[in-house]
């Protein structure tokens, strides 16, 4: 099993297609097909389920992908160590949507200017999916809603967010979930930690929450609330960045639903040069690992 074969396997797994993976790697599809078949023959397992025009990972493929990501991370760390410990190679960081929009841009610019040799990549998703990416080795670090207790992960608190409930402008004061009972709820998909906080707020008031209408954008959530009849839970910093924010009514929530802390998380034992440099730039000073 060669690293070059694993790179091909990783590209096909991410693209779901040999043709798209070949285009991404600037190679011909037949070459990738041959190398992938050789890898499966050497391992004695099928790495993909071939369904119509798309390839999906088999159970064995999912296991191998996790190991492959860790091997690539270790390779990058080894190369950095041989260069004197300076950050280099790939560094993939995950982020919640609101964090990526509000807090991440200046951090990314500062990091890239300081360490231009690092191939910095950002992937956005709800907290639950980011944690899955960390544990599977697809991400080197992730900014998620915390605090979190995972035996496999380490982390540091980065900044606090105030969470607010928004309704249409004409809605009256909201003291509890009873005041919005029966209204449409706009939220991200189930793996979103902010959605779970909203669900917890309803539970605390012993009020059933309407099945959420899943929306993948804060802009769309705001537009739906402005249109009337629904609610959404959003970070105040995100709301203040959106056009149309003055067309909704903002309601403060009681503790513990009104505040949340964003954490930077990573796999234990994987605090390499790239991640150390990220933490040092944000907080200053060396980090023990």
């Amino acid at each position: 099993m060669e690293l070059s074969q694993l790179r091909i396997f990783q590209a096909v797994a991410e693209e779901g297609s040999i043709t798209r993976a070949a285009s991404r790697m600037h190679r011909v599809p037949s070459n990738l097909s041959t190398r992938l078949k050789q890898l499966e023959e050497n391992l004695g397992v099928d790495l993909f389920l071939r369904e119509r025009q798309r390839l999906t990972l088999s159970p064995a493929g999912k296991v191998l992908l996790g190991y492959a990501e860790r091997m690539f991370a270790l390779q990058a760390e080894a190369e950095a160590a041989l260069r004197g410990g300076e950050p280099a190679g790939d560094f993939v960081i995950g982020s919640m949507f609101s964090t990526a929009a509000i807090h991440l841009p200046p951090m990314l610019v500062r990091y890239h200017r300081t360490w231009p040799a690092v191939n910095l990549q950002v992937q956005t998703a709800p907290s639950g999916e980011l944690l899955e990416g960390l544990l599977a080795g697809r991400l080197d670090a992730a900014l998620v809603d915390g605090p979190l207790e995972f035996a496999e992960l380490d982390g540091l608190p980065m900044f606090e967010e105030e969470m607010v409930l928004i309704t249409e402008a004409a809605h009256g004061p909201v003291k509890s979930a009873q005041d919005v009972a029966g209204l449409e709820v706009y939220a991200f998909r189930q793996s979103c930690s902010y959605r779970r906080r909203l669900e917890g707020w309803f539970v605390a008031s012993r009020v059933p929450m309407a099945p959420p209408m899943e929306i993948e954008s804060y802009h769309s959530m705001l537009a739906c609330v402005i249109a009337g009849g629904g609610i959404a839970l959003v970070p105040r910093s995100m709301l203040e960045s959106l056009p149309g924010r003055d067309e909704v009514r903002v309601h403060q929530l009681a503790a513990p639903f009104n505040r949340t802390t964003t954490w930077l998380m990573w796999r234990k034992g994987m605090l390499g040069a790239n991640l150390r440099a990220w933490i040092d730039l944000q907080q200053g000073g060396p980090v023990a690992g």
Side-chain angles (χ1 to χ4, degrees):
M1 184 168 58
E2 303 172 1
L3 283 177
S4 58
Q5 289 177 314
L6 289 179
R7 289 288 185 191
I8 291 171
F9 163 69
Q10 178 194 42
V12 174
E14 292 177 351
E15 297 293 340
S17 160
I18 288 177
T19 300
R20 288 196 296 271
S23 176
R24 167 174 147 183
M25 300 183 75
H26 306 291
R27 300 170 74 166
V28 296
S30 59
N31 178 265
L32 267 65
S33 296
T34 300
R35 298 296 302 278
L36 191 58
K37 184 177 180 181
Q38 290 172 345
L39 178 60
E40 290 181 314
E41 290 175 348
N42 291 340
L43 295 174
V45 295
D46 290 329
L47 299 174
F48 292 93
L49 303 175
R50 290 157 173 85
E51 302 172 340
R52 297 180 182 179
Q53 301 299 316
R54 184 169 179 82
L55 299 179
T56 58
L57 284 172
S58 68
K62 291 178 181 178
V63 172
L64 181 60
L65 183 60
Y67 281 106
E69 297 286 358
R70 278 182 263 177
M71 291 172 68
F72 298 144
L74 287 171
Q75 179 189 29
E77 187 173 346
E79 292 172 354
L82 293 174
R83 295 189 185 101
E86 289 196 353
D90 294 337
F91 180 45
V92 185
I93 187 165
S95 172
M96 296 180 291
F97 299 108
S98 56
T99 304
I102 303 302
H103 300 287
L104 210 51
M107 299 163 72
L108 295 174
V109 170
R110 186 179 178 198
Y111 188 91
H112 180 67
R113 287 176 177 172
T114 306
W115 302 109
V118 176
N119 177 26
L120 184 59
Q121 303 172 41
V122 179
Q123 297 182 10
T124 55
S127 283
E129 294 175 25
L130 294 173
L131 291 171
E132 291 175 3
L134 273 181
L135 294 171
R138 296 190 296 273
L139 300 174
D140 297 308
L143 290 158
V144 299
D145 184 22
L148 300 163
E149 294 184 3
F150 283 85
E152 304 95 331
L153 301 178
D154 279 328
L156 289 170
M158 298 298 289
F159 40 82
E160 286 196 354
E161 292 279 12
E162 180 187 2
M163 304 300 297
V164 295
L165 190 79
I166 57 173
T167 65
E168 61 178 329
H171 197 286
V174 175
K175 301 299 182 183
S176 74
Q178 187 64 53
D179 296 321
V180 292
L183 294 184
E184 186 71 73
V185 175
Y186 307 110
F188 285 101
R189 49 190 181 269
Q190 210 163 21
S191 55
C192 174
S193 60
Y194 293 165
R195 171 172 166 172
R196 292 196 294 272
R197 286 178 182 273
L198 184 58
E199 292 169 344
W201 181 66
F202 273 89
V203 169
S205 296
R206 295 184 172 85
V207 174
M209 186 177 87
M213 179 185 294
E214 295 186 356
I215 295 179
E216 294 299 300
S217 151
Y218 282 109
H219 293 79
S220 297
M221 281 185 199
L222 178 62
C224 288
V225 173
I226 291 172
I231 65 169
L233 182 69
V234 300
R236 184 182 287 275
S237 61
M238 185 72 215
L239 178 63
E240 291 176 348
S241 74
L242 298 176
R245 59 188 178 277
D246 296 329
E247 298 180 53
V248 295
R249 184 164 183 177
V250 180
H251 308 268
Q252 294 183 325
L253 302 180
F257 305 105
N258 61 332
R259 303 203 71 81
T260 179
T261 303
T262 300
W263 281 60
L264 177 69
M265 307 292 296
W266 63 89
R267 299 189 304 283
K268 285 187 176 178
M270 300 300 286
L271 184 55
N274 292 343
L275 180 54
R276 284 178 182 275
W278 177 275
I279 296 172
D280 285 349
L281 280 177
Q282 307 314 317
Q283 295 195 337
V287 177

